[in-house]
Amino acid sequence: MANETQKVGTIHFPFPFTPYSIQEDFMAELYRVLEAGKIGIFESPTGTGKSLSLICGALSWLRDFEQKKREEEARLLETGTGPFHDEKDKSLCLSSSCEGAAATPRPAGEPAWVTQFVQKKEERDLVDRLKAEQARRKQREERLQQLQHRAQFKYAAKRLRQEEEETENVLRLSREMLETGLGAERPEQLESGEEELVLAEYESDEEKKAASGVDEDEDDLEEEHVTKIYYCSRTHSQLAQFVHEVKKSPFGKDVRLVSLGSRQNLCVNEDVKSLGSVQLINDRCVDMQRSRHENKKGAEEEKPKRRRQEKQAACPFYNHEQMGLLRDEALAEVKDIEQLLALGKEARACPYYGSRLAIPAAQLVVLPYQMLLHAATRQAAGIRLQEQVVIIDEAHNLIDTITGMHSVEVSGSQLCQAHSQLLQYMERYGKRLKAKNLMYLKQILYLLEKFVAVLGGNIKQNPNTQSLSQTGTELKTINDFLFQSQIDNINLFKVQRYCEKSMISRKLFGFTERYGAVLSSREQPKLAGFQQFLQSLQPRTTEAPAAPADESQASAPRPASPLMHIEGFLAALTTANQDGRVILSRQGSLSQSTLKFLLLNPAVHFAQVVKECRAVVIAGGTMQPVSDFRQQLLACAGVEAERVVEFSCGHVIPPDNILPLVICSGISNQPLEFTFQKRELPQMMDEAGRILCNLCSVVPGGVVCFFPSYEYLRQVHAHWEKGGLLGRLAARKKIFQEPKSAHQVEQVLLAYSRCIQACGQERGGVTGALLLSVVGGKMSEGINFSDNLGRCVVMVGMPFPNIRSPELQEKMAYLDQTLPRAPGQAPPGKNLVENLCMKAVNQSIGRAIRHQKDFASIVLLDQRYARPPVLAKLPAWIRARVEVKATFGPAIAAVQKFHREKSASS
């Protein structure tokens, strides 16, 4: 379909078709938010074209911003004067390349001629910078234009690949000749390949940070970052769908877009990718880049430091010329992750580092949540947020994502295993290690010992056979935990830095993989106890013989070293005392007991994003209730209330295509209140079953019924089966149940869909299918029950979280202490519980309506839904149509009339 340009006010929005009015409103409000540098919370129901609205609205703003910037640059270069007297254009200049070039505040009483001289010099410097930036931009544009022909990239990549292979062959022959001719002097005899497991000398805690795999002589290749939009979502499939929408948009041929991903998704080195574990892939990749840097540096040093004798080979895909070609090709035409991966394989260039090289010149950067929201990952990827725009899509669970990303749990089994591995490692290589390495390794051993002791265990005994005298859950502040563990005298910041730089966890993993094969016979007895201990930690199976090692481990990725996981816990303990808690969970045995760091204040990690960015947009299909975003995320991050803008649009469906009902009492006039205390009563379960039977009699196609938990669904199912209600339901709809196993979901959905399709073609007693699901389960998010798959969605009760949970109780207490209580409102902690419940409800009931011509009824079975504060937390497009029915008779009549009319008209 031909592209169209829509004019909203004075702004032109290119669009691939005539947009809905709500899309025009969405784009106009988004444009205003970006222009004013605000924080926007945007809600646009699924099926309303949210992605295209985000693309066309944001890129229209970027188009106008760049045009105004070019015009300002042209004026400055023409006149040769700076912008310091033009207040109107000051914000434009400061937000782009001339940041930092504003007139320096002059001391009071300074002579006028001095002030004038300094100002003139700053203006000249600014003009020089603008000229340099123009030249770089012109060079980049010419380079990208040449790549439109494609042939240059393919031939250049092929030629570089051939040259690289020839050079590698020459170097390999030279090394072989030197090794055979001269012989290698080794200070100590170790088995082949074992040298790489020995720690390099740790020079200083204050040494400069490594260049993250980029050599010092490559620093000058870094470009200046243009103003750009960072778009992030939760999964790679969602990001791929967004990139597909960009391609279809009017901006698809012109925008410079780059997709970022993890090493696990973008690595083309099969030897590294085969490691399986994300942590192992990351560590091996970084180690190979570091080895490349050390090899180059060592060749220039006459007397290299004492390091391992056989160095890790550098990655053959890490070649700057080839990665530069890949960068240019990625920017020349919009590509998703899969296309970027194929391009890397073809050019023998690393897509992970090549895509990072494309960030400075890109206008739109597409990346997963974790890369943007985790500061260390963001820094390692080369992402700079200063004066940039960030759009976070599918953000309804943003708070939980940040909290989960920075919360860590370690078990007693992991602590004991890491301690034993590290002790054996020191026994094996202790004589080869420098004093500083030994000092830090002893500190780590001490920390592990104290962590086990605070749980009530003994580090020297098998954790599986240790019974703890004291059981239960205990919650501590960070400082109290450090004192109780007797580790307050240890500098955790230095230990954390040592773990990162020395890569001890990766070397320890390599050691535990190799020890049995590489040790000579006289050394085997030393590790016999270690072998037995490791074997004791594995799950025991007595019914079937163990499969051969190569078969049993072929399908599953190798687990990372337990120390890798514990490093995350150590990093979490460096969080400010008021922003987190440590939960000590003592179970029956030490191996099952855990230490968990719980992040209470996700805003501490989000604050830097909103502080550095020009504007931030938080978007989703269901953002209600938004008070959590305002209070927990933005207010706690220091964002002023005036900077926050809320936008919520209606649905594209006609208002009469949806029938939301709150039913307060059942068929026998039993009040419907599925509280935790009442919901297991036989009469409550019977009432829910009878209501469902009546609904299945009048609703065609598919009915999806959500329950608060898997356990409650199991109880209700068993009760209905025993009382005969299940048979009555099965006479009307074929019954399907949500599986607990993720790999069975697709199979159940396919059978459910086929059943409804078959029932629609055959007129008989069974009119469709009934799917029994769980709120927060695999069916409540990300799956579309459009058209006949979901003509009615039923919500049994209110899915409140477990109020007895220590984590939730501490979070509630934290919010009550931190946030002010609004007049006439519930305390912040209680409000949190209700918001968590309603977010889950909104996600579930939003499954039914997926496009403009869709229709469905929504039935909320609980009288508590009728309370005004609860109704206010429903999405606006549902809230406007909701009807509260005090009794069941009028409710079932309304449902029957709705579906009879809609089925007749469709």
Side-chain angles (χ1 to χ4, degrees):
M1 192 175 291
N3 292 334
E4 299 185 13
T5 299
Q6 301 298 315
K7 185 174 181 181
V8 182
T10 59
I11 308 166
H12 293 269
F13 294 105
F15 215 77
F17 49 82
T18 303
Y20 302 125
S21 60
I22 59 173
Q23 290 178 308
E24 293 179 345
D25 296 341
F26 187 107
M27 291 187 292
E29 188 63 25
L30 176 62
Y31 192 103
R32 286 190 286 269
V33 165
L34 301 186
E35 183 68 15
K38 293 185 178 292
I39 309 295
I41 302 175
F42 282 71
E43 182 180 53
S44 180
T46 304
T48 56
K50 170 169 58 72
S51 295
L52 266 178
S53 300
L54 283 170
I55 291 165
C56 296
L59 291 179
S60 293
W61 171 83
L62 186 62
R63 170 203 64 199
D64 294 347
F65 178 86
E66 290 179 341
Q67 178 62 30
K68 286 186 282 188
K69 179 182 170 185
R70 284 192 293 268
E71 291 172 358
E72 174 65 9
E73 286 178 359
R75 186 184 70 79
L76 292 174
L77 292 173
E78 181 180 351
T79 61
T81 59
F84 308 121
H85 299 297
D86 193 344
E87 291 297 326
K88 181 180 70 175
D89 294 327
K90 183 176 180 181
S91 62
L92 174 68
C93 177
L94 292 180
S95 63
S96 55
S97 63
C98 37
E99 182 182 355
T104 306
R106 309 306 307 161
E110 183 180 75
W113 69 269
V114 174
T115 303
Q116 189 177 11
F117 174 80
V118 172
Q119 183 174 310
K120 289 291 185 185
K121 184 178 185 303
E122 289 175 344
E123 290 174 352
R124 287 194 301 271
D125 291 344
L126 172 59
V127 171
D128 290 342
R129 275 196 296 274
L130 290 175
K131 287 180 179 178
E133 184 180 339
Q134 259 193 353
R136 283 195 300 270
R137 185 166 60 239
K138 184 178 179 182
Q139 183 181 11
R140 180 177 64 239
E141 290 172 354
E142 289 175 351
R143 190 174 69 237
L144 294 179
Q145 283 176 359
Q146 290 175 353
L147 279 175
Q148 299 296 332
H149 299 289
R150 296 287 192 115
Q152 177 192 0
F153 173 75
K154 292 183 177 179
Y155 290 135
K158 185 177 180 181
R159 186 178 66 253
L160 283 171
R161 187 162 65 245
Q162 291 172 344
E163 291 174 357
E164 183 78 15
E165 290 172 355
E166 290 173 3
T167 305
E168 182 62 30
N169 287 334
V170 172
L171 290 174
R172 179 175 54 79
L173 290 171
S174 300
R175 284 195 299 268
E176 290 174 357
M177 290 173 64
L178 285 171
E179 288 174 2
T180 54
L182 300 176
E185 293 186 15
R186 292 182 171 84
E188 295 181 34
Q189 290 295 326
L190 291 177
E191 296 293 328
S192 174
E194 197 178 1
E195 292 83 355
E196 69 175 36
L197 302 177
V198 182
L199 287 164
E201 181 182 351
Y202 188 68
E203 295 177 354
S204 168
D205 291 333
E206 286 74 34
E207 66 184 356
K208 293 180 180 179
K209 290 188 175 180
S212 299
V214 179
D215 289 346
E216 293 170 0
D217 59 344
E218 294 163 353
D219 291 344
D220 59 340
L221 296 174
E222 185 177 358
E223 298 181 59
E224 184 173 352
H225 285 237
V226 303
T227 301
K228 66 179 86 292
I229 297 165
Y230 287 99
Y231 172 90
C232 62
S233 192
R234 289 181 303 140
T235 65
H236 283 287
S237 60
Q238 289 170 340
L239 294 173
Q241 178 62 32
F242 179 80
V243 173
H244 182 66
E245 293 287 337
V246 173
K247 287 182 180 180
K248 293 193 304 182
S249 78
F251 297 91
K253 292 184 179 179
D254 301 321
V255 68
R256 297 191 302 275
L257 179 149
V258 63
S259 297
L260 302 183
S262 64
R263 287 181 174 90
Q264 189 178 35
N265 289 103
L266 285 175
C267 181
V268 290
N269 187 326
E270 292 300 328
D271 291 338
V272 176
K273 200 167 184 177
S274 64
L275 293 173
S277 162
V278 177
Q279 187 67 51
L280 290 176
I281 291 173
N282 289 343
D283 286 346
R284 178 64 60 86
C285 177
V286 172
D287 198 36
M288 292 174 85
Q289 308 319 316
R290 179 180 296 182
S291 175
R292 178 175 181 270
H293 185 68
E294 288 174 359
N295 286 336
K296 188 170 183 179
K297 188 176 178 182
E300 299 169 356
E301 295 179 358
E302 187 173 316
K303 186 179 179 182
K305 292 175 183 174
R306 188 172 127 192
R307 295 183 182 270
R308 60 178 185 252
Q309 300 302 310
E310 293 182 11
K311 297 190 181 291
Q312 172 71 47
C315 181
F317 297 91
Y318 190 86
N319 179 288
H320 236 273
E321 284 190 82
Q322 290 166 287
M323 289 193 302
L325 286 169
L326 184 143
R327 169 202 62 196
D328 293 343
E329 180 72 7
L331 292 172
E333 183 180 324
V334 173
K335 292 179 178 60
D336 60 22
I337 287 285
E338 295 301 323
Q339 292 170 316
L340 200 60
L341 195 63
L343 189 66
K345 290 178 179 177
E346 179 186 351
R348 289 189 61 81
C350 176
Y352 176 75
Y353 284 107
S355 59
R356 284 167 51 168
L357 292 176
I359 294 175
Q363 295 168 307
L364 181 57
V365 179
V366 179
L367 68 167
Y369 271 4
Q370 290 76 5
M371 291 190 76
L372 185 103
L373 298 174
H374 194 273
T377 307
R378 190 166 67 236
Q379 183 180 5
I383 296 169
R384 298 181 185 176
L385 298 181
Q386 287 84 358
E387 289 301 320
Q388 308 291 16
V389 170
V390 164
I391 297 176
I392 303 173
D393 201 1
E394 300 298 331
H396 57 271
N397 63 347
L398 179 60
I399 295 174
D400 293 338
T401 298
I402 299 174
T403 302
M405 204 182 296
H406 297 89
S407 297
V408 190
E409 186 173 28
V410 295
S411 67
S413 177
Q414 289 174 319
L415 294 169
C416 290
Q417 192 175 2
H419 186 276
S420 180
Q421 290 178 0
L422 198 56
L423 203 60
Q424 297 293 333
Y425 179 89
M426 285 183 64
E427 287 182 10
R428 171 67 180 163
Y429 304 120
K431 294 180 180 179
R432 294 175 59 92
L433 300 178
K434 292 284 188 178
K436 188 153 286 189
N437 273 320
L438 290 171
M439 179 192 75
Y440 277 110
L441 293 183
K442 288 177 181 177
Q443 284 189 359
I444 296 172
L445 286 170
Y446 177 78
L447 289 170
L448 296 173
E449 181 180 346
K450 291 301 181 183
F451 288 157
V452 170
V454 80
L455 284 172
N458 187 331
I459 197 72
K460 297 178 181 178
Q461 298 177 12
N462 190 317
N464 289 322
T465 58
Q466 286 191 62
S467 297
L468 303 183
S469 57
Q470 180 184 355
T471 59
T473 302
E474 190 178 1
L475 197 139
K476 298 281 185 183
T477 66
I478 298 174
N479 287 346
D480 287 345
F481 173 75
L482 297 179
F483 281 116
Q484 184 178 342
S485 304
Q486 300 177 356
I487 60 172
D488 52 296
N489 59 327
I490 301 289
N491 189 327
L492 293 178
F493 291 94
K494 287 189 174 183
V495 174
Q496 179 194 0
R497 197 179 308 126
Y498 172 78
C499 290
E500 290 176 359
K501 291 185 178 181
S502 68
M503 300 181 72
I504 174 60
S505 57
R506 195 196 71 77
K507 296 179 186 297
L508 194 58
F509 178 81
F511 168 69
T512 57
E513 277 202 320
R514 296 179 60 91
Y515 73 90
V518 302
L519 297 178
S520 61
S521 57
R522 65 180 177 85
E523 291 172 314
Q524 288 287 355
K526 294 183 181 179
L527 292 180
F530 179 42
Q531 289 175 327
Q532 292 175 5
F533 176 74
L534 287 183
Q535 291 170 0
S536 73
L537 295 177
Q538 303 302 317
R540 298 181 180 276
T541 54
T542 56
E543 297 181 4
D550 56 338
E551 294 178 8
S552 62
Q553 296 176 3
S555 57
R558 289 178 289 175
S561 161
L563 187 59
M564 292 179 182
H565 199 59
I566 293 165
E567 284 178 8
F569 182 70
L570 292 175
L573 291 179
T574 62
T575 306
N577 184 58
Q578 70 273 16
D579 291 331
R581 298 289 184 270
V582 179
I583 301 172
L584 293 77
S585 178
R586 301 181 179 94
Q587 305 299 323
S589 67
L590 176 60
S591 63
Q592 296 174 327
S593 301
T594 59
L595 296 174
K596 180 177 181 178
F597 173 80
L598 173 67
L599 180 68
L600 294 178
N601 182 17
V604 72
H605 295 285
F606 196 62
Q608 189 177 3
V609 175
V610 295
K611 180 181 178 182
E612 294 182 0
C613 289
R614 173 194 178 96
V616 176
V617 174
I618 303 171
T622 306
M623 299 297 288
Q624 292 290 340
V626 298
S627 58
D628 283 356
F629 296 100
R630 277 188 168 273
Q631 295 174 357
Q632 295 183 47
L633 210 55
L634 301 178
C636 290
V639 178
E640 303 84 357
E642 309 82 62
R643 195 185 172 197
V644 182
V645 175
E646 288 183 30
F647 176 85
S648 180
C649 65
H651 214 293
V652 293
I653 60 167
D656 59 355
N657 273 25
I658 181 174
L659 177 66
L661 297 177
V662 175
I663 302 181
C664 298
S665 60
I667 298 172
S668 61
N669 289 325
Q670 168 79 34
L672 298 179
E673 191 169 358
F674 292 87
T675 61
F676 187 76
Q677 294 79 13
K678 296 180 182 179
R679 69 186 188 188
E680 295 178 12
L681 295 175
Q683 59 266 35
M684 293 301 295
M685 292 190 281
D686 287 338
E687 204 67 55
R690 286 193 289 266
I691 291 173
L692 205 54
C693 274
N694 279 266
L695 289 172
C696 288
S697 297
V698 299
V699 176
V703 176
V704 184
C705 182
F706 286 100
F707 291 84
S709 68
Y710 283 104
E711 176 58 26
Y712 187 56
L713 171 57
R714 186 194 64 78
Q715 290 178 355
V716 171
H717 191 275
H719 180 77
W720 289 350
E721 188 174 29
K722 184 179 179 181
L725 266 169
L726 206 62
R728 289 166 55 191
L729 279 169
R732 294 167 173 81
K733 306 280 185 187
K734 185 173 181 180
I735 300 173
F736 294 86
Q737 194 168 341
E738 177 177 326
K740 280 192 174 183
S741 176
H743 71 272
Q744 294 178 327
V745 170
E746 196 67 34
Q747 182 181 349
V748 171
L749 282 174
L750 185 61
Y752 172 76
S753 175
R754 285 175 175 171
C755 175
I756 293 171
Q757 188 177 7
C759 291
Q761 296 169 353
E762 302 173 6
R763 298 296 177 183
V766 177
T767 61
L770 169 64
L771 180 59
L772 305 178
S773 305
V774 176
V775 176
K778 300 161 191 67
M779 306 287 191
S780 65
E781 189 175 337
I783 296 176
N784 301 336
F785 295 105
S786 60
D787 300 320
N788 276 340
L789 294 182
R791 288 304 183 200
C792 181
V793 174
V794 183
M795 182 68 60
V796 178
M798 296 185 72
F800 283 103
N802 181 10
I803 197 70
R804 299 191 185 97
S805 160
E807 291 96 331
L808 183 57
Q809 288 183 347
E810 191 63 22
K811 180 76 173 182
M812 292 169 64
Y814 173 81
L815 293 178
D816 286 338
Q817 295 169 7
T818 307
L819 298 177
R821 180 175 179 177
Q825 298 290 322
K830 185 178 179 182
N831 199 41
L832 166 71
V833 175
E834 200 166 84
N835 286 351
L836 289 172
C837 168
M838 292 309 296
K839 279 184 180 178
V841 169
N842 292 341
Q843 281 299 309
S844 298
I845 63 179
R847 301 297 95 203
I849 301 292
R850 312 309 287 179
H851 58 83
Q852 188 180 19
K853 295 182 180 180
D854 207 355
F855 65 89
S857 55
I858 297 171
V859 179
L860 305 176
L861 296 183
D862 201 305
Q863 63 182 4
R864 290 174 293 174
Y865 283 111
R867 290 162 37 206
V870 176
L871 286 175
K873 293 175 181 179
L874 289 169
W877 61 281
I878 294 178
R879 186 171 65 241
R881 300 287 298 172
V882 71
E883 299 177 24
V884 177
K885 303 293 185 182
T887 57
F888 181 73
I892 192 66
V895 173
Q896 186 174 20
K897 180 184 176 185
F898 173 81
H899 284 285
R900 185 172 59 244
E901 292 177 352
K902 290 301 169 186
S903 297
S905 61
S906 62

